[in-house]
C-alpha cells in the first residue's frame, strides 16, 4: 500500500555508503538530505541547522513542534504544488526521489529509553488468567493507572533485522534448565516517539501530553515466555524480554493521525484527576499480524485488532510516566503493550492464541505451531482510517534464527 501525501512518515536509509533522512511517498522516498543540500527545503526553523546530515531523526525532532509543522507543509508543497522546484523541473525531481526498494532502511532514532506499557484490557485479562488464575487476573492497580516496565533500548532493531533465539533459565518437566527458549513469542504493539522533553521534576499535564509526541511506529516486543514465567516475580520482565524489540522503519507523524482520533471509551472506575482530560482520545488504527513458516508460500493472518482495543490513551500513558517528575527525552519510545481485543481473532501474541501453549494451531503445510520456530517470519502492519484516506504504517518484519 503506497504512502499518501497526508501521511509522509519519516525514515533513515542507506544509499550507497551514505546515510540519508527521507519521507515515504507512494512507493518512493523523498530524500530530504539531498533536498536540503540542493536548497529545496524552505522552512525557517531548519535554516543552518544541518539536521539532515545526521544519521538519525533526533536532531530534526528536537527542533520542536513549530519546526515539524513547517517541514511537513514544505514537503507537501514540494510533492504536490505545480510551482514547486520539483514539479517545475523533472530533473530536480529525479535527483531527490529514490525507490524504496533500492535502499536499506536503518533504525530511524537514537533511542535513549524504552518503556513498555500493558494497556490492552483483553490482553492483561487473558495473560493474568493464564499466569495467576481468573480470580487474580487483573491486579487492583491495573484499572487505576497504565501499568508499565522499563525496557531495554540497546536491543531495539529496525524491521528486517534477524531475531536470535535467546537462551535462559526456565522450568521444564525435568526441572530447571539453562537452554534456548522453547516458547518464543511475538507481541503486536505500537510505539510512540517522544518529540518534546520535560525537565526532571516537572510532570506533564494531561492536556499538554500529546504535544510531547512526535509520531508513532509499529513495535514487536519479542518475548520468551518460559524465561519470563520463571523470572517475572517480584520485579517484572527482564531477560525474557530484553533480547530484541523490532520497530518499523517509518515514523508516522502524530500530525498525520489527527483525522483518526476517536473518543476514548468510558473508563470505570474513573481515573484520578491528573489522568482525566475531557478531550482525550484513542485512534482508529487497524493492526494486523501475518505469519509464515519457511515452508509456506503465502502468509496467514494471525490477528486483526484496533488501537481502540487499548484501555489507556497515549496521553494517559505519557502523563502517568512523567507524573513523578521522570524526565522523558527526545527519541524515547513508549510501547503500548500487546494490542489485543475481546475477539479470538484479535489476540496479539501466541501466548493468548495458543492459550499458554496448550492449543496448537495448524498451518496450510500441515505443520503446527505453539510458539515460534527457527525460520518463521512475523510481519506486523497497520493502517489508520483518516478523512483524506488511509494512513499506512508500513511493515515491521522479523525472522527467527
Ligand atoms: Ca510488551
Amino acid at each position: 500500500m503506497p504512502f499518501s501525501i497526508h501521511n509522509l512518515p519519516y525514515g533513515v536509509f542507506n544509499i550507497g555508503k551514505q546515510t540519508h533522512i527521507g519521507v515515504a511517498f507512494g512507493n518512493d522516498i523523498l530524500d530530504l538530505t539531498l533536498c536540503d543540500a540542493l536548497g529545496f527545503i524552505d522552512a525557517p526553523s531548519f535554516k543552518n541547522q544541518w539536521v539532515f546530515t545526521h544519521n538519525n531523526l533526533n536532531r530534526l525532532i528536537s527542533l520542536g513542534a513549530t519546526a515539524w509543522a513547517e517541514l511537513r507543509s514544505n514537503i507537501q508543497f514540494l510533492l504536490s504544488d505545480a510551482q514547486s522546484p520539483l514539479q517545475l523541473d523533472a530533473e530536480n525531481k529525479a535527483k531527490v526521489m529514490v525507490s524504496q526498494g533500492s535502499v536499506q532502511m536503518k533504525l530511524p532514532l537514537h533511542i535513549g529509553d524504552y518503556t513498555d506499557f500493558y494497556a490492552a484490557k483483553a490482553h492483561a485479562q487473558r495473560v493474568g488468567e493464564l499466569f495467576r488464575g481468573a480470580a487474580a487476573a487483573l491486579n487492583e492497580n491495573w484499572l487505576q493507572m497504565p501499568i508499565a516496565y522499563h525496557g531495554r533500548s540497546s536491543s531495539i532493531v529496525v524491521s528486517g533485522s534477524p531475531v536470535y533465539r535467546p537462551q535462559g533459565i526456565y522450568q521444564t518437566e525435568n526441572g530447571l534448565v539453562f537452554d534456548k527458549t522453547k516458547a518464543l513469542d511475538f507481541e503486536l504493539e505500537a510505539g510512540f516517539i517522544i518529540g518534546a522533553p520535560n525537565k526532571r521534576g516537572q510532570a506533564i499535564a494531561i492536556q499538554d501530553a500529546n504535544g510531547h509526541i512526535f509520531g508513532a511506529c509499529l513495535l514487536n516486543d519479542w518475548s520468551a515466555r518460559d524465561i519470563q514465567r520463571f523470572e517475572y516475580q517480584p520485579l517484572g520482565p527482564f531477560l525474557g524480554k530484553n533480547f530484541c524489540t523490532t520497530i518499523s522503519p517509518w515514523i508516522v507523524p502524530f500530525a498525520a493521525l489527527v483525522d483518526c482520533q476517536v473518543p476514548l471509551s468510558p473508563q470505570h472506575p474513573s481515573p484520578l484527576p491528573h489522568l482525566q482530560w475531557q478531550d482525550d482520545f484513542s485512534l482508529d488504527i487497524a493492526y494486523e499480524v501475518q505469519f509464515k513458516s519457511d515452508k509456506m508460500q503465502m502468509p496467514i493472518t494471525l490477528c486483526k485488532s484496533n488501537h481502540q482495543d487499548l484501555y489507556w490513551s497515549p496521553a494517559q500513558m505519557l502523563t502517568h510516566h512523567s507524573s513523578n517528575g521522570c524526565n522523558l527525552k527526545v527519541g524515547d519510545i513508549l510501547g503500548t503493550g500487546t494490542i489485543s481485543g475481546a475477539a479470538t481473532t484479535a489476540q496479539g501474541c501466541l501466548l493468548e492464541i495458543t492459550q499458554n501453549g496448550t492449543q496448537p494451531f495448524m498451518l496450510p503445510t500441515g505443520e503446527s505451531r505453539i510458539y515460534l520456530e527457527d525460520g518463521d517470519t512475523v510481519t506486523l502492519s497497520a493502517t489508520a482510517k483518516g478523512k483524506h484516506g488511509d494512513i499506512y504504517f508500513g511493515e515491521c518484519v522479523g525472522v527467527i534464527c
Side-chain angles (χ1 to χ4, degrees):
M1 180 179 293
F3 295 89
S4 80
I5 192 94
H6 304 290
N7 187 351
L8 302 178
Y10 291 93
V12 173
F13 58 98
N14 269 3
I15 183 160
K17 289 184 175 171
Q18 295 186 316
T19 302
H20 285 193
I21 289 173
V23 290
F25 180 59
N27 295 309
D28 294 327
I29 300 170
L30 175 64
D31 186 329
L32 295 177
T33 305
L34 274 183
C35 280
D36 195 38
L38 294 169
F40 298 151
I41 300 293
D42 182 16
S45 299
F46 289 81
K47 205 163 172 135
N48 300 323
Q49 292 296 323
W50 309 110
V51 300
F52 302 107
T53 59
H54 283 247
N55 61 4
N56 59 55
L57 298 173
N58 293 54
R59 183 87 185 268
L60 184 162
I61 295 171
S62 71
L63 293 183
T66 303
W68 311 340
E70 279 176 16
L71 184 60
R72 183 170 172 79
S73 171
N74 187 216
I75 292 168
Q76 287 175 330
F77 167 77
L78 287 172
L79 290 171
S80 66
D81 195 300
Q83 298 306 309
S84 84
L86 302 194
Q87 308 307 320
L88 286 171
D89 186 337
E91 269 187 38
N92 281 343
K93 193 172 181 182
K95 281 181 194 163
V96 296
M97 298 299 290
V98 289
S99 162
Q100 287 171 29
S102 69
V103 302
Q104 185 192 359
M105 299 306 296
K106 305 288 288 179
L107 192 66
L109 301 155
H110 170 70
I111 301 162
D113 278 302
Y114 158 44
T115 302
D116 198 26
F117 282 85
Y118 191 50
K121 193 173 181 183
H123 173 69
Q125 181 77 36
R126 286 197 197 97
V127 172
E129 285 179 15
L130 292 171
F131 275 37
R132 291 182 297 277
L138 276 190
N139 288 330
E140 180 193 356
N141 56 14
W142 198 93
L143 291 166
Q144 299 293 342
M145 60 189 186
I147 298 295
Y149 70 97
H150 281 300
R152 178 91 189 159
S153 57
S154 67
S155 53
I156 299 180
V157 297
V158 73
S159 175
S161 304
V163 179
Y164 305 115
R165 180 178 298 274
Q167 51 188 355
I169 299 173
Y170 57 90
Q171 290 283 9
T172 69
E173 287 177 357
N174 302 316
L176 203 61
V177 298
F178 175 70
D179 201 353
K180 289 200 168 187
T181 176
K182 303 281 194 301
L184 186 55
D185 201 352
F186 63 85
E187 287 191 340
L188 162 65
E189 302 195 21
F192 288 98
I193 314 302
I194 299 297
N198 62 304
K199 288 186 176 154
R200 189 170 66 83
Q202 293 185 2
I204 297 167
I206 191 162
Q207 64 270 22
D208 301 329
N210 292 310
H212 288 259
I213 299 174
F214 173 74
C217 63
L218 291 160
L219 186 153
N220 189 335
D221 178 30
W222 305 100
S223 302
R225 300 303 183 190
D226 38 17
I227 300 170
Q228 181 186 2
R229 185 176 291 107
F230 190 64
E231 74 176 3
Y232 89 103
Q233 289 179 313
L235 289 186
F238 185 43
L239 301 181
K241 292 280 192 176
N242 73 0
F243 57 94
C244 187
T245 303
T246 305
I247 64 169
S248 50
W250 296 111
I251 309 299
V252 176
F254 213 47
L257 299 173
V258 166
D259 291 341
C260 321
Q261 296 175 4
V262 290
L264 188 64
S265 297
Q267 294 171 317
H268 304 291
S270 292
L272 289 169
H274 73 292
L275 292 177
Q276 284 187 39
W277 177 37
Q278 62 183 7
D279 297 326
D280 205 355
F281 55 83
S282 182
L283 297 162
D284 185 6
I285 305 173
Y287 295 95
E288 192 165 325
V289 180
Q290 293 204 311
F291 171 91
K292 194 176 96 54
S293 76
D294 57 5
K295 292 198 175 103
M296 291 163 65
Q297 299 294 318
M298 297 291 290
I300 57 168
T301 299
L302 282 187
C303 169
K304 285 186 177 185
S305 60
N306 191 286
H307 202 90
Q308 295 167 82
D309 291 322
L310 295 170
Y311 184 86
W312 297 101
S313 71
Q316 287 175 319
M317 289 186 241
L318 193 145
T319 301
H320 178 60
H321 202 319
S322 78
S323 63
N324 64 345
C326 172
N327 49 322
L328 306 176
K329 304 192 305 297
V330 169
D332 288 356
I333 288 192
L334 309 187
T336 56
T338 306
I339 305 169
S340 296
T344 53
T345 52
Q347 301 181 100
C349 62
L350 292 176
L351 179 68
E352 293 176 64
I353 293 169
T354 68
Q355 296 178 45
N356 200 14
T358 63
Q359 304 292 324
F361 61 93
M362 297 302 294
L363 303 176
T365 50
E367 302 170 277
S368 68
R369 283 292 181 278
I370 295 176
Y371 286 110
L372 299 171
E373 302 285 344
D374 292 354
D376 288 351
T377 303
V378 178
T379 303
L380 315 182
S381 61
T383 307
K385 295 288 175 197
K387 288 182 191 131
H388 302 290
D390 289 348
I391 304 292
Y392 180 50
F393 277 63
E395 291 184 340
C396 179
V397 184
V399 181
I400 311 303
C401 59

mmCIF file of all heavy atoms in Angstrom, residues 6-21:
data_model
loop_
_atom_site.group_PDB
_atom_site.id
_atom_site.type_symbol
_atom_site.label_atom_id
_atom_site.label_comp_id
_atom_site.label_asym_id
_atom_site.label_seq_id
_atom_site.Cartn_x
_atom_site.Cartn_y
_atom_site.Cartn_z
ATOM 1 N N HIS A 6 -0.926 12.748 2.743
ATOM 2 C CA HIS A 6 -1.427 13.072 4.082
ATOM 3 C C HIS A 6 -0.707 12.291 5.182
ATOM 4 O O HIS A 6 -1.004 12.463 6.355
ATOM 5 C CB HIS A 6 -2.932 12.802 4.163
ATOM 6 C CG HIS A 6 -3.699 13.544 3.122
ATOM 7 N ND1 HIS A 6 -3.851 14.913 3.156
ATOM 8 C CD2 HIS A 6 -4.305 13.110 1.988
ATOM 9 C CE1 HIS A 6 -4.545 15.302 2.092
ATOM 10 N NE2 HIS A 6 -4.824 14.229 1.364
ATOM 11 N N ASN A 7 0.217 11.420 4.776
ATOM 12 C CA ASN A 7 0.939 10.593 5.732
ATOM 13 C C ASN A 7 2.358 11.135 5.918
ATOM 14 O O ASN A 7 2.680 11.781 6.884
ATOM 15 C CB ASN A 7 0.947 9.147 5.202
ATOM 16 C CG ASN A 7 1.528 8.160 6.199
ATOM 17 O OD1 ASN A 7 2.078 8.546 7.218
ATOM 18 N ND2 ASN A 7 1.421 6.884 5.900
ATOM 19 N N LEU A 8 3.233 10.878 4.943
ATOM 20 C CA LEU A 8 4.611 11.392 4.938
ATOM 21 C C LEU A 8 5.403 10.995 6.188
ATOM 22 O O LEU A 8 5.909 11.847 6.929
ATOM 23 C CB LEU A 8 4.613 12.919 4.758
ATOM 24 C CG LEU A 8 3.931 13.420 3.478
ATOM 25 C CD1 LEU A 8 3.945 14.943 3.446
ATOM 26 C CD2 LEU A 8 4.605 12.830 2.236
ATOM 27 N N PRO A 9 5.545 9.675 6.417
ATOM 28 C CA PRO A 9 6.335 9.216 7.554
ATOM 29 C C PRO A 9 7.836 9.409 7.313
ATOM 30 O O PRO A 9 8.310 9.318 6.177
ATOM 31 C CB PRO A 9 5.995 7.729 7.640
ATOM 32 C CG PRO A 9 5.655 7.343 6.243
ATOM 33 C CD PRO A 9 4.988 8.551 5.635
ATOM 34 N N TYR A 10 8.550 9.668 8.394
ATOM 35 C CA TYR A 10 9.998 9.905 8.319
ATOM 36 C C TYR A 10 10.768 8.612 8.531
ATOM 37 O O TYR A 10 10.386 7.773 9.361
ATOM 38 C CB TYR A 10 10.420 10.909 9.400
ATOM 39 C CG TYR A 10 9.925 12.308 9.155
ATOM 40 C CD1 TYR A 10 8.724 12.750 9.699
ATOM 41 C CD2 TYR A 10 10.657 13.191 8.373
ATOM 42 C CE1 TYR A 10 8.259 14.039 9.468
ATOM 43 C CE2 TYR A 10 10.199 14.482 8.141
ATOM 44 C CZ TYR A 10 9.005 14.895 8.695
ATOM 45 O OH TYR A 10 8.559 16.158 8.465
ATOM 46 N N GLY A 11 11.884 8.486 7.806
ATOM 47 C CA GLY A 11 12.763 7.340 7.991
ATOM 48 C C GLY A 11 14.195 7.709 7.678
ATOM 49 O O GLY A 11 14.502 8.817 7.217
ATOM 50 N N VAL A 12 15.092 6.770 7.948
ATOM 51 C CA VAL A 12 16.526 6.938 7.700
ATOM 52 C C VAL A 12 16.975 5.747 6.868
ATOM 53 O O VAL A 12 16.577 4.609 7.141
ATOM 54 C CB VAL A 12 17.290 6.998 9.040
ATOM 55 C CG1 VAL A 12 18.790 7.005 8.809
ATOM 56 C CG2 VAL A 12 16.864 8.230 9.836
ATOM 57 N N PHE A 13 17.775 6.025 5.834
ATOM 58 C CA PHE A 13 18.149 4.933 4.931
ATOM 59 C C PHE A 13 19.588 5.079 4.461
ATOM 60 O O PHE A 13 20.161 6.168 4.475
ATOM 61 C CB PHE A 13 17.195 4.880 3.735
ATOM 62 C CG PHE A 13 17.132 6.153 2.926
ATOM 63 C CD1 PHE A 13 17.879 6.289 1.759
ATOM 64 C CD2 PHE A 13 16.326 7.211 3.327
ATOM 65 C CE1 PHE A 13 17.824 7.459 1.013
ATOM 66 C CE2 PHE A 13 16.270 8.387 2.590
ATOM 67 C CZ PHE A 13 17.017 8.515 1.427
ATOM 68 N N ASN A 14 20.144 3.953 4.061
ATOM 69 C CA ASN A 14 21.478 3.938 3.471
ATOM 70 C C ASN A 14 21.352 3.948 1.964
ATOM 71 O O ASN A 14 20.634 3.127 1.382
ATOM 72 C CB ASN A 14 22.241 2.673 3.888
ATOM 73 C CG ASN A 14 23.031 2.908 5.164
ATOM 74 O OD1 ASN A 14 22.956 3.980 5.755
ATOM 75 N ND2 ASN A 14 23.778 1.902 5.579
ATOM 76 N N ILE A 15 22.050 4.888 1.347
ATOM 77 C CA ILE A 15 22.101 4.928 -0.113
ATOM 78 C C ILE A 15 23.584 4.937 -0.456
ATOM 79 O O ILE A 15 24.305 5.868 -0.115
ATOM 80 C CB ILE A 15 21.307 6.132 -0.657
ATOM 81 C CG1 ILE A 15 21.300 6.120 -2.165
ATOM 82 C CG2 ILE A 15 21.758 7.452 -0.090
ATOM 83 C CD1 ILE A 15 20.174 6.966 -2.770
ATOM 84 N N GLY A 16 24.040 3.816 -1.038
ATOM 85 C CA GLY A 16 25.475 3.631 -1.165
ATOM 86 C C GLY A 16 26.077 3.543 0.229
ATOM 87 O O GLY A 16 25.572 2.816 1.093
ATOM 88 N N LYS A 17 27.123 4.303 0.466
ATOM 89 C CA LYS A 17 27.758 4.270 1.790
ATOM 90 C C LYS A 17 27.261 5.405 2.672
ATOM 91 O O LYS A 17 27.744 5.585 3.796
ATOM 92 C CB LYS A 17 29.281 4.361 1.636
ATOM 93 C CG LYS A 17 29.893 3.080 1.051
ATOM 94 C CD LYS A 17 31.398 3.165 0.992
ATOM 95 C CE LYS A 17 31.972 1.836 0.523
ATOM 96 N NZ LYS A 17 33.397 1.895 0.230
ATOM 97 N N GLN A 18 26.299 6.188 2.184
ATOM 98 C CA GLN A 18 25.833 7.341 2.939
ATOM 99 C C GLN A 18 24.494 7.073 3.622
ATOM 100 O O GLN A 18 23.698 6.259 3.147
ATOM 101 C CB GLN A 18 25.692 8.541 2.002
ATOM 102 C CG GLN A 18 27.036 8.997 1.435
ATOM 103 C CD GLN A 18 26.896 10.274 0.641
ATOM 104 O OE1 GLN A 18 25.964 10.419 -0.142
ATOM 105 N NE2 GLN A 18 27.817 11.205 0.855
ATOM 106 N N THR A 19 24.279 7.766 4.718
ATOM 107 C CA THR A 19 23.012 7.669 5.444
ATOM 108 C C THR A 19 22.229 8.956 5.241
ATOM 109 O O THR A 19 22.757 10.048 5.496
ATOM 110 C CB THR A 19 23.279 7.440 6.953
ATOM 111 O OG1 THR A 19 24.058 6.262 7.098
ATOM 112 C CG2 THR A 19 21.980 7.270 7.712
ATOM 113 N N HIS A 20 20.990 8.813 4.750
ATOM 114 C CA HIS A 20 20.157 9.982 4.482
ATOM 115 C C HIS A 20 18.843 9.889 5.259
ATOM 116 O O HIS A 20 18.426 8.806 5.678
ATOM 117 C CB HIS A 20 19.841 10.083 2.981
ATOM 118 C CG HIS A 20 21.000 10.572 2.153
ATOM 119 N ND1 HIS A 20 20.867 10.968 0.853
ATOM 120 C CD2 HIS A 20 22.323 10.730 2.457
ATOM 121 C CE1 HIS A 20 22.043 11.351 0.368
ATOM 122 N NE2 HIS A 20 22.945 11.202 1.319
ATOM 123 N N ILE A 21 18.195 11.044 5.397
ATOM 124 C CA ILE A 21 16.864 11.143 6.008
ATOM 125 C C ILE A 21 15.852 11.391 4.900
ATOM 126 O O ILE A 21 16.145 12.141 3.954
ATOM 127 C CB ILE A 21 16.838 12.297 7.043
ATOM 128 C CG1 ILE A 21 17.665 11.911 8.274
ATOM 129 C CG2 ILE A 21 15.416 12.674 7.445
ATOM 130 C CD1 ILE A 21 17.854 13.039 9.273
#
